């Protein structure tokens, strides 16, 4: 039978409470160890980890992380261990002569992501993203047919000696841009090649003469402030404020007239057509833009590796940083009614990105814990068991393994795990599983006799590939041998190092089955607004902090490119 190096934490708890009945005492060749604090998988803030517990019999030596912790006369001990990283496995060993007991307690730095989850996701569309959104406004405006009401509103003129009747209006595609503004979004429209034609009838010595006239404006500049709003029903509207129109002098083409008559005609056109045109044009465009009710409510229902995710737009405004959208988020359930109380990302969080998303660790924690951790619970045999057996036989002491009908191998993750977002993309987040137990046994028919047991701390890095895909990369960070059936002398570090290659091979196969394609998560189709497909690509990741410098725990700013490189007008 294997030599057990880890005693159950509750062994002989009655004796550790101070029982004095010698007849009930543990055997002389055994020691008992109980760790009272911290609890398995506890979140300890910034630390330190305060380790307390009891040993029996009196005089048993205790070491916490290799440092002696002197028990009192009743066997109680206490030690403090600083937390240097995101996780720590507190290794407590009690020893008296040849008898030993061992406890390994995984703990985490910081708070449980579920306790700091704000219930929502803030999004900021930055200038680069507004530029793409702005490019769709012009085509939408043209699709509204704004030229028809303007043509119908052009004035007819009858001066007695001159009559002007509108004959038509043409224009090239309208160009548009959006940019941040202090209280909304600045809209710039550029109407290209606006040409108005008139039929002019002149009375020359009592004889009517018809002359075609055209007024060509190379560029008409229209600037306005767009104020986005979100009503109680979740519908989004764009209100137009502070509109202005700039009309340069047109290029006027008139049929053959002598100089004096031509001058009179141009003066009449300027007073009767050009002067009111700016107001007419502004009224028509404001009416057309005012009809841009984008609808709603806006939300997203998607699936993250089997975990339902609901997003609903709850707040919307524009300022100098860009367009802010606050989404209430429900993970595995309905989203809350209120907007999230979190800072919105800013340009400095991801310079050059089209948008920045405030992503909380709880989102990835839920997804990866639900999908990845259960995948680690494996019972392996057959060809893989034989491969594992060959690996184990090559370990120090492996030559002492008994004969059997093959090898049986199992992985069992402990209940402690956490996801922490990182700064940068390689990786963007890490899933920490500090107690993955590896059991290796020798098969005898349908039975499996224990041979080797180890606890390994595993880190799964969530790596960004090609911007739009996320994949897992596993590595074993440390470990301990809990039981080993060999009678040959062996070194724990060497055995753990040998097992690392075996486990990383298994985890690499499991991790290859977990890939998140960001394009598959987006259910919103922006094509009705003339926008390109949403193809999110990750560009940056770092802590998200408010203007006051406070950085909510677990919240990171993730810079994204949102749209495909090209887009077409519907």
């Amino acid at each position: 039978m294997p030599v057990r190096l880890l005693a159950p934490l509750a062994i002989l708890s009655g004796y550790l409470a101070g029982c004095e009945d010698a007849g009930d005492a543990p055997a002389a060749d055994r020691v008992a160890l109980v760790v009272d604090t911290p609890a398995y998988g506890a979140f300890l803030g910034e630390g330190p980890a305060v380790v307390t517990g009891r040993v029996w019999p009196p005089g048993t030596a205790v070491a916490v992380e290799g440092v002696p912790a002197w028990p009192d006369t009743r066997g109680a001990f206490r030690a403090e261990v600083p937390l240097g990283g995101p996780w720590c496995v507190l290794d407590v060993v009690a020893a008296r002569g040849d008898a030993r007991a061992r406890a390994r307690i995984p703990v985490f730095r910081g708070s449980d992501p579920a306790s700091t989850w704000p219930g929502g996701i803030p999004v900021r569309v930055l200038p680069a993203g507004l530029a793409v959104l702005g490019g769709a406004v012009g085509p939408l405006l043209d699709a509204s047919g704004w030229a028809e009401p303007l043509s119908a509103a052009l004035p007819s003129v009858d001066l007695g000696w001159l009559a002007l009747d509108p004959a038509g209006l043409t224009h090239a595609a309208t160009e548009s841009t959006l940019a941040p503004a202090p209280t909304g979004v600045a809209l710039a429209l550029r109407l290209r090649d606006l040409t108005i034609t008139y039929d002019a009838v002149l009375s020359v010595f009592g004889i009517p003469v018809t002359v075609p006239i055209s007024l060509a404006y190379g560029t008409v500049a229209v600037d306005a402030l767009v104020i986005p709003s979100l009503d109680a029903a979740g519908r989004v509207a764009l209100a137009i404020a502070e509109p202005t129109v700039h009309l340069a002098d047109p290029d006027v083409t008139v049929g053959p007239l002598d100089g004096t008559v031509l001058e009179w005609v141009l003066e009449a056109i300027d007073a009767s057509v050009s002067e009111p045109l700016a107001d007419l044009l502004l009224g028509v465009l404001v009416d057309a833009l005012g009809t841009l009710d984008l609808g709603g409510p806006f939300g997203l229902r998607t699936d993250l590796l089997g975990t339902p995710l609901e997003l609903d737009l709850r707040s919307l405004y524009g300022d100098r940083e860009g367009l802010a959208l606050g989404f209430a988020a429900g993970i595995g359930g309905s989203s809350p009614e209120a907007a999230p109380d979190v800072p919105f990302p800013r340009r400095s969080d991801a310079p050059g990105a089209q948008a920045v998303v405030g992503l909380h660790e709880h989102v990835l924690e839920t997804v990866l814990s639900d999908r990845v951790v259960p995948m680690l619970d494996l019972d392996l045999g057959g060809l893989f068991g034989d491969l594992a057996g060959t690996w184990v036989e090559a370990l120090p002491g492996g030559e002492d393994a008994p004969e059997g009908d093959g090898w049986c191998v199992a992985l069992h993750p402990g209940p402690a795990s956490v996801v922490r977002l990182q700064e940068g993309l390689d990786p963007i987040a890490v899933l920490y599983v500090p107690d993955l137990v590896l059991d290796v046994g020798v098969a005898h028919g349908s039975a499996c006799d224990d041979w080797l047991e180890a606890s390994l701390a595993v880190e799964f890095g969530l790596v960004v590939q090609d911007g739009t895909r996320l994949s897992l990369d596993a590595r074993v960070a440390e470990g301990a041998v809990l039981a080993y059936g060999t009678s040959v002398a062996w070194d724990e570090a060497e055995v753990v190092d040998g097992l690392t290659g075996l486990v990383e091979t298994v985890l690499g196969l499991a991790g290859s089955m977990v890939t998140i394609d960001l394009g598959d998560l987006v259910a919103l189709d922006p094509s009705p607004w003339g926008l390109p497909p949403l193809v999110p690509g990750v560009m940056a990741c770092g802590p998200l902090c408010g203007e006051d410098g406070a950085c909510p725990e677990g919240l990171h700013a993730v810079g994204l490119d949102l749209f495909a490189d090209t887009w077409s007008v519907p």
Side-chain angles (χ1 to χ4, degrees):
M1 293 295 292
V3 178
R4 299 293 300 182
L5 300 181
L6 177 63
L9 298 186
I11 287 180
L12 304 178
S13 59
Y15 307 123
L16 298 177
C19 177
E20 298 180 357
D21 186 345
D24 294 335
D29 61 346
R30 297 185 66 184
V31 299
L33 167 67
V34 168
V35 176
D36 295 318
T37 65
Y40 182 99
F43 291 87
L44 302 180
E46 294 305 306
V50 179
V51 182
T52 63
R54 296 156 290 157
V55 291
W56 188 268
T60 300
V62 176
V64 179
E65 290 292 286
V67 178
W70 306 107
D72 62 18
T73 57
R74 296 177 60 84
F77 63 89
R78 184 182 188 278
E80 291 189 3
V81 178
L83 299 178
W87 59 271
C88 176
V89 179
L90 301 169
D91 201 325
V92 183
V93 176
R96 182 181 177 87
D98 293 333
R100 299 176 71 223
R102 186 179 191 178
R104 284 173 55 85
I105 312 297
V107 295
F108 300 105
R109 186 175 183 175
S111 302
D112 184 347
S115 68
T116 60
W117 165 238
I121 297 176
V123 178
R124 178 86 70 174
V125 182
L126 300 180
L130 287 176
V132 179
L133 293 173
V137 175
L140 282 173
L141 184 62
D142 289 342
S144 73
W146 64 270
E148 295 179 12
L150 178 61
S151 180
L154 291 173
S156 296
V157 179
D158 188 353
L159 301 178
W161 63 274
L162 174 66
L164 297 173
D165 291 317
L169 183 151
T170 61
H171 65 91
T174 300
E175 299 175 3
S176 56
T177 61
L178 290 173
T183 58
V185 179
L187 170 65
L189 296 173
R190 297 299 178 259
L191 312 181
R192 302 296 186 187
D193 300 329
L194 176 64
T195 301
I196 300 172
T197 58
Y198 270 86
D199 289 332
V201 180
L202 292 86
S203 179
V204 182
F205 304 110
I207 302 173
V209 177
T210 300
V211 179
I213 298 176
S214 65
L215 293 78
Y217 299 87
T219 300
V220 178
V222 181
D223 296 295
L225 179 66
V226 179
I227 303 176
S229 63
L230 180 69
D231 66 17
R235 295 184 65 85
V236 175
L238 302 179
I240 305 300
E242 305 172 13
T244 61
V245 175
H246 176 72
L247 283 171
D249 293 334
D251 292 330
V252 181
T253 302
V254 185
L257 295 173
D258 62 39
T260 300
V261 175
L262 177 59
E263 185 176 346
W264 293 344
V265 171
L266 292 178
E267 290 177 355
I269 290 174
D270 185 55
S272 303
V273 178
S274 293
E275 289 182 6
L277 181 60
D279 289 338
L280 287 173
L281 182 58
L282 191 58
V284 167
L285 292 180
V286 169
D287 286 344
L289 292 171
T291 63
L292 289 181
D293 180 353
L294 300 185
F298 286 96
L300 174 66
R301 304 292 184 269
T302 190
D303 185 281
L304 291 174
L305 297 178
T307 301
L309 174 65
E310 289 191 5
L311 297 176
D312 290 292
L313 186 62
R314 297 284 191 246
S315 61
L316 175 68
Y317 68 89
D319 60 18
R320 293 185 183 276
E321 293 290 337
L323 183 63
L325 303 96
F327 289 91
I331 306 173
S334 299
S335 63
E337 291 297 323
D341 183 18
V342 288
F344 279 86
R346 293 172 289 174
R347 300 187 201 186
S348 57
D349 290 317
Q354 292 180 344
V356 189
V357 175
L359 182 63
H360 195 272
E361 290 171 344
H362 181 57
V363 177
L364 292 177
E365 164 82 6
T366 303
V367 171
L368 295 180
S369 295
D370 287 352
R371 176 66 184 272
V372 176
V373 174
M375 290 177 56
L376 305 180
D377 201 343
L378 300 170
D379 286 301
L380 304 170
L383 291 176
F384 190 87
D386 293 340
L387 173 63
T390 302
W391 212 301
V392 171
E393 288 173 346
L395 297 174
E399 68 275 13
D400 203 25
E403 296 291 332
D405 300 323
W407 291 87
C408 38
V409 180
L411 286 174
H412 302 296
S417 66
V418 74
V419 170
R420 296 299 191 202
L421 284 157
Q422 309 292 303
E423 188 163 0
L425 304 181
D426 190 21
I428 191 173
V430 178
L431 167 63
Y432 298 105
V433 183
D435 185 22
L436 180 64
V437 176
L438 169 67
D439 284 316
V440 180
V442 179
H444 295 282
S446 59
C448 185
D449 293 338
D450 296 338
W451 169 251
L452 174 62
E453 182 182 3
S455 171
L456 304 174
V458 181
E459 299 179 352
F460 292 87
L462 192 63
V463 180
V464 178
Q465 296 182 335
D466 302 325
T468 63
R469 291 186 299 111
L470 305 177
S471 62
L472 287 175
D473 184 16
R475 78 176 189 94
V476 175
E478 66 110 89
V481 177
L482 307 181
Y484 197 3
T486 184
S487 59
V488 178
W490 51 277
D491 178 77
E492 183 175 55
E494 291 184 17
V495 173
V496 170
D497 186 61
L499 293 175
T500 293
L502 171 63
V503 172
E504 287 184 345
T505 299
V506 176
L507 298 182
L509 295 173
S512 65
M513 301 170 61
V514 180
T515 301
I516 302 174
D517 191 322
L518 298 179
D520 293 340
L521 302 180
V522 180
L524 180 64
D525 179 12
S527 60
W529 302 290
L531 292 171
L534 282 171
V535 184
V538 182
M539 297 182 61
C541 182
L544 175 55
C545 304
E547 294 183 1
D548 59 357
C551 307
E553 187 176 356
L555 191 63
H556 274 53
V558 179
L560 301 173
D561 272 345
L562 294 177
F563 301 99
D565 293 334
T566 60
W567 60 284
S568 59
V569 179

